[in-house]
Amino acid sequence: MTDLLSDVETPSDAELISRVRGGDVAAYGELFSRHKDAARRLARQLVRGPDSDDLVSDAFAKVLTVLQGGGGPDVAFRAYLLTAVRRLHVDRVRSGQRLQTTDDLTPFDPGVPFQDTAVAGFESGAAAKAFASLPERWQLVLWHLEVEGQKPAEIAPLLGMSANSVSALAYRARE
């Protein structure tokens, strides 16, 4: 019989919520002791290890802040608390997905160097004009050395010169 009377004397969640909004933090302690096991069960389903305890404590702290600000549930404290646990878990998962530290930049670096077409066009046009302004003999030496990739000794018989003379002529043509 005394057990029934003690159940009747125990305040409901709604009464405890209104006390918390009125500034009674001890009433929140009663809500905590009533609903901590349910929150822990849910948190253990969502995460493993000590992270579940962190999730539960963060959820209780968040709900306390909301209640003290005048918001939150009026009656269904447990449902509100469990929703807070789930949402905090989702927020942590999302924040973990956004941040990915890596030393490997190959997915972000295509490896193709930037080429400015305007500069390339100017340089090739300027080089073509400079090459065209050279005497024919200098053009021939530069063409065989730079474009064909031949050695001065290979070009010397074509011009009737020594390999050293071809090298000197190429130096002057490049200048």
Side-chain angles (χ1 to χ4, degrees), residues 7-83:
D7 287 341
V8 173
E9 293 173 6
T10 305
S12 68
D13 284 355
E15 291 172 19
L16 291 172
I17 289 170
S18 64
R19 281 195 212 162
V20 170
R21 287 191 180 130
D24 184 9
V25 180
Y28 196 71
E30 179 66 28
L31 286 170
F32 176 81
S33 64
R34 285 184 189 178
H35 302 288
K36 67 180 177 185
D37 292 332
R40 284 184 182 152
R41 279 192 300 272
L42 176 61
R44 285 186 191 126
Q45 290 175 358
L46 298 174
V47 293
R48 300 284 180 232
D51 290 339
S52 64
D53 292 334
D54 291 342
L55 190 61
V56 170
S57 65
D58 289 347
F60 270 106
K62 184 176 183 176
V63 172
L64 175 61
T65 304
V66 170
L67 288 176
Q68 288 175 332
D74 290 326
V75 179
F77 181 80
R78 182 174 288 195
Y80 192 86
L81 175 67
L82 296 180
T83 301

Side-chain angles (χ1 to χ4, degrees), residues 143-173:
W143 183 266
H144 283 283
L145 284 175
E146 302 300 328
V147 178
E148 299 291 332
Q150 294 176 323
K151 306 274 185 217
E154 296 171 333
I155 302 169
L158 295 173
L159 298 174
M161 304 171 72
S162 68
N164 285 340
S165 298
V166 170
S167 295
L169 184 63
Y171 177 78
R172 279 183 273 152

Side-chain angles (χ1 to χ4, degrees), residues 1 7 10 12-13 28 54 60 82 85 90 92 95-98 106 113 122 128 139 163-164:
M1 183 81 158
D7 287 341
T10 305
S12 68
D13 284 355
Y28 196 71
D54 291 342
F60 270 106
L82 296 180
V85 170
V90 168
R92 287 181 182 182
S95 68
Q97 288 175 344
R98 282 186 228 140
T106 52
F122 170 75
Q139 287 179 6
N164 285 340

